[in-house]
Amino acid sequence: MLDKTYAPAEIESRLYRQWESSGVFGAEPSGGKTPFCIMIPPPNVTGSLHMGHALTFTIQDMLIRYRRMTGRDALWQPGTDHAGIATQMVVERQLAAEALTRHDLGREGFIERVWKWKAESGGAITLQLRRLGASLDWPRERFTMDSGLDLAVRKAFVALHKDGLIYRDKRLVNWDPKLHTAISDLEVEQREVKGRMWYFKYPVKGEAGVFLTVATTRPETMLGDSGVAVHPEDERYRHLIGKSVVLPLVGREIPIVGDDYADPEKGTGAVKITPAHDFNDFEVGKRHDLAQINVLDRDAKLNEAVPEAYRGLDRFVARDKVVADMEALGLLEKIEENPMTQPFGDRSGVVIEPWLTDQWFVDAAELAKDAIAAVEDGRTKFVPETWSKTYFEWMRNIQPWCISRQIWWGHQVPAWYGPDGAIFVEMTEEAALAAAKAKYGKDDIVLLRDPDVLDTWFSSALWPFSTLGWPEETPELARYYPTDVLVTGFDIIFFWVARMMMMGLRFMGDVPFRTVYIHALVRDEKGQKMSKSKGNVIDPLGLIDSYGADALRFTLAAMAAQGRDVKMSESRVQGYRNFATKLWNAARFCEMNECRLEPAYKPDQAQHAVNRWVAGKLSETVAAVGEGLETYKFNEAAGAAYQFVWGTFCDWYLEIAKPLLTGEDEAVKAETRATAAWVLNEVLKLLHPFMPYITEELWAKSAAVPRGQLIVEAWPQAGAIDAAATADVDWVVALITAIRSARAEVNVPPGAKTALLVREADADSRRRLADYGPVVERLARVETIADAPAGDAAKGAMQIVLGAATVLIPLAGVIDIAQEKARLAKELKRLDGEVERFDKKLANEKFIAAAPEEIVAEQREKRADALLQRQKVREALARIETF
């Protein structure tokens, strides 16, 4: 007997252990099924489950469970990323608590300490994924630092280097002066700050009293200026192009160049150019062959390249001194407040510096050519398709990819330096020594290995094929590559998706995935991005604790509309927990009414129209859910399942079937029991990808005899639809719905019964009323059904038109009509005011320009809701205005 209430906490861990121990998550490489493969976006080994994870992994699990049930050999490849900087910081914090640094341990000792941490504490997120119900093929789990992936990384690096696609160069990078390493754009957080704009006057050489005024937000970098740019068409400055200014405080002559980068409408129209400390200036400097003068060290302190008075000063201390010194010279024209965005390291929290340094780079522009073509010709498709434009825009303007990091935890660059600085890139130190011996012609060569490690995204770029055994030619690689679909967020299209495309095409000769599904952001219920500072972060694990994994999963699925952000709130999850409860109660109802699955039962042979109707509705739903999952319209798939289970099955079929289940016609009773059991059985299959726990539990407990696990059952098939039964019962459902809606609109007391008068009706409508009269009476709170008397029958009655039938609900004596008219008129006036208020706000251009996008969207949604409510009140008022 099923428990009275569904208690997810009691069954989830038990069922997950059952699934995992029975091996049902595993792929079958040697089987005859058609393969289907999804690669997990490997979460950081330091990470914990957040709402973005919950969305992407729920979507992937739905697809995997669905494909298993449709007969595919489904591989969901698990694994975690070593997360170089994040992991190193975790361990360094532990060392700091022991009054130690990584330098106290040395490189080897520190790396041993990281591996120890990983073994003891790393990978907590994989346990959290299990709580979500993620059915990954866990025995195949990979780690981006394991031996196989390390081999793949070295193989790729060496091959790209030998092909001239990896090289060492001096370029600008995002430099973190606290962590002392280059970082990727993804690790840079742009923050709104209240900055300043300083206007400095640079003396024009040879023209006494003539100055060129430049505006800067970073005065300290002026010490590294090597030019001033003006727009070549700017009439104010055209005559100065080709001349020079004398850089104050330094005394260096720097040229005035004409370049389109200078915006005549911004600042003074003249721009100081510091190629070693600004990404845009770097490009201007290359165009005009300007000197690259690095004035900062790795701590963001001023170095030996500046006048002695500034050497060793912190960049911000130096800023104040530069401003004071320029003011003392009379060369500070003015200072303005300047709201601006400033780059911060997302982990260190300090301001990031564009810094000129020697690093390893990948020729991304060359690799991007094939990756662009693969999307252009449809070998890989983006869903929604609009994201392909974002992909193309970035790929067609791609810059060299800096892949070296100045930390210890990660894949160490397989490069060794000879005594004269020659570089030997090889798979092993032995191979590098052999190459050095060949070059130098002697044996006693001492090589120094490059201390840098590779960007985490380099190893992640190989993930779709390195996890399958590459560079070895494994059966898994031949079977599962290319993979079918990648599910990920838009924020890593550049950092991961594009790079996997480049590497997959380079080393495998084919795209890494056929489809890229880009999901939206999960925001709070007001549409704001979640952040700790706002205090609006929603913890998925807390929601699982409170409402169960199935409720969270179904919420995410129901809200995963293509191209639309998910507005998450605890109340939504609570609502879908109620859906799980509804399903549980429906199963208890079936159990209490002895509804057992009959092996010989065939829904298309059912005699009672209601049973044929529900079978047809189920067939429609099976088709709709399958279509939604096939086309990545998860909200439509979840919506179709929800509407059928809650509405059609629970609220209509079981209610209509109650007298059939307790009646005296044994044949109808038996058929209805079998139908209810069969529908419930198919519903559990249909809902399993969305709500795996409750469906697996009910599958086991609703069976008359023990049977296999639901997770490996076949997906339900759409069957025949009886058009006549569908039309009849749909009409009855529509009539009852219309009566209930009309009663609610005018506040008829729920317990009050009313008459139903038929004024006009064709033969089909009258037959349906005759066949289903008792159902209408019971479910619509109708006391009697009769023909309307001659004369003005509509007086004091609400009118409902349904197809070829017109029926009346007399209200005299049921409600106070005058009072109800007054109430509705008052409500209509209130809603008119609401709509007018929203219209004024949304017509205010200042509000639209200044308000955050999510606030504007919220106001538009509220206006739409008010319009809908107003229309309903108008209709209700129209129903009784003639009374």
Side-chain angles (χ1 to χ4, degrees), residues 95-396:
L95 291 175
E98 302 169 21
L100 294 172
T101 71
R102 60 185 163 116
H103 301 286
D104 293 322
L105 274 63
R107 186 170 191 138
E108 289 187 12
F110 177 75
I111 291 173
E112 286 179 12
R113 179 70 177 254
V114 179
W115 277 110
K116 181 182 177 184
W117 172 86
K118 195 263 182 185
E120 295 174 353
S121 306
I125 193 168
T126 62
L127 300 176
Q128 294 166 354
L129 286 175
R130 287 170 166 88
R131 291 200 60 195
L132 188 65
S135 56
L136 289 138
D137 192 347
W138 291 112
R140 296 181 181 274
E141 184 175 356
R142 303 302 299 269
F143 178 53
T144 50
M145 284 286 287
D146 69 28
S147 59
L149 271 66
D150 178 64
L151 175 65
V153 166
R154 285 185 285 121
K155 180 79 172 179
F157 187 98
V158 172
L160 290 171
H161 181 266
K162 291 189 183 303
D163 291 340
L165 295 171
I166 283 182
Y167 57 93
R168 193 157 174 80
D169 194 11
K170 186 183 289 290
R171 292 180 62 91
L172 281 187
V173 296
N174 296 310
W175 183 260
D176 189 313
K178 180 177 180 180
L179 300 180
H180 295 149
T181 181
I183 61 175
S184 72
D185 289 342
L186 191 64
E187 294 159 321
V188 176
E189 178 184 335
Q190 298 292 341
R191 299 182 191 172
E192 297 286 338
V193 299
K194 294 180 180 179
R196 287 184 173 184
M197 183 78 78
W198 288 268
Y199 290 78
F200 291 155
K201 297 191 295 185
Y202 288 5
V204 177
K205 185 188 178 189
E207 300 189 22
V210 178
F211 299 91
L212 189 56
T213 301
V214 300
T216 181
T217 59
R218 305 182 64 214
E220 68 279 8
T221 64
M222 70 163 288
L223 303 173
D225 285 359
S226 58
V228 175
V230 297
H231 196 280
E233 302 301 321
D234 192 331
E235 294 294 338
R236 295 171 296 174
Y237 304 124
R238 285 177 63 179
H239 67 287
L240 294 177
I241 295 174
K243 296 185 178 182
S244 300
V245 295
V246 177
L247 184 63
L249 309 181
V250 179
R252 185 168 60 245
E253 291 182 21
I254 57 177
I256 302 169
V257 299
D259 196 281
D260 291 346
Y261 171 65
D263 184 353
E265 303 298 323
K266 187 176 180 181
T268 65
V271 184
K272 62 187 282 300
I273 302 299
T274 320
H277 296 286
D278 183 276
F279 289 102
N280 291 316
D281 290 7
F282 181 81
E283 297 300 326
V284 175
K286 284 202 302 183
R287 289 195 289 271
H288 299 281
D289 198 26
L290 301 180
Q292 299 173 347
I293 304 170
N294 186 2
V295 298
L296 296 175
D297 63 15
R298 70 174 198 155
D299 296 308
K301 293 181 178 180
L302 274 69
N303 61 20
E304 298 299 312
V306 302
E308 188 174 353
Y310 305 98
R311 292 174 190 170
L313 296 180
D314 175 81
R315 53 186 162 166
F316 299 121
V317 174
R319 172 178 299 180
D320 293 339
K321 182 170 175 54
V322 165
V323 172
D325 290 349
M326 289 293 283
E327 185 174 22
L329 293 171
L331 299 177
L332 174 62
E333 185 173 289
K334 62 178 177 177
I335 304 172
E336 293 179 342
E337 296 300 314
N338 184 55
M340 56 188 283
T341 58
Q342 195 166 33
F344 287 78
D346 66 347
R347 291 189 174 87
S348 67
V350 302
V351 176
I352 296 303
E353 284 290 341
W355 199 48
L356 190 65
T357 180
D358 290 305
Q359 302 283 349
W360 289 95
F361 292 89
V362 172
D363 185 350
E366 181 62 32
L367 291 175
K369 293 175 182 177
D370 288 344
I372 291 170
V375 176
E376 287 177 331
D377 62 26
R379 279 175 283 164
T380 292
K381 295 181 179 179
F382 279 83
V383 178
E385 196 277 331
T386 51
W387 286 112
S388 63
K389 297 175 184 176
T390 303
Y391 173 85
F392 286 136
E393 183 178 352
W394 190 72
M395 292 291 268
R396 288 168 179 156

Side-chain angles (χ1 to χ4, degrees), residues 443-572:
D443 293 337
D444 57 338
I445 304 296
V446 176
L447 298 180
L448 295 177
R449 186 168 185 177
D450 193 309
D452 289 354
V453 301
L454 292 170
D455 178 13
T456 295
W457 296 104
F458 188 87
S459 50
S460 296
L462 312 178
W463 186 256
F465 50 95
S466 64
T467 51
L468 297 174
W470 186 89
E472 302 297 328
E473 295 181 6
T474 65
E476 288 81 2
L477 190 62
R479 180 169 177 77
Y480 298 110
Y481 189 95
T483 67
D484 290 85
V485 58
L486 175 75
V487 178
T488 190
F490 67 86
D491 53 335
I492 55 174
I493 291 176
F494 318 133
F495 300 97
W496 192 44
V497 178
R499 288 161 180 170
M500 285 190 288
M501 289 286 288
M502 291 189 286
M503 295 300 192
L505 287 160
R506 184 72 186 180
F507 292 109
M508 295 297 297
D510 202 350
V511 295
F513 21 74
R514 299 301 187 198
T515 300
V516 181
Y517 175 77
I518 301 294
H519 64 72
L521 282 176
V522 183
R523 297 178 178 269
D524 72 7
E525 59 186 319
K526 294 181 180 178
Q528 298 184 65
K529 191 172 181 179
M530 293 186 194
S531 70
K532 291 180 181 177
S533 61
K534 291 179 181 177
N536 64 345
V537 174
I538 301 174
D539 177 17
L541 296 173
L543 293 176
I544 291 173
D545 288 338
S546 298
Y547 306 108
D550 289 331
L552 173 60
R553 288 171 60 112
F554 202 90
T555 304
L556 293 167
M559 300 179 72
Q562 289 184 12
R564 190 185 310 159
D565 286 342
V566 174
K567 291 184 179 179
M568 174 60 68
S569 68
E570 184 169 348
S571 62
R572 290 183 184 272

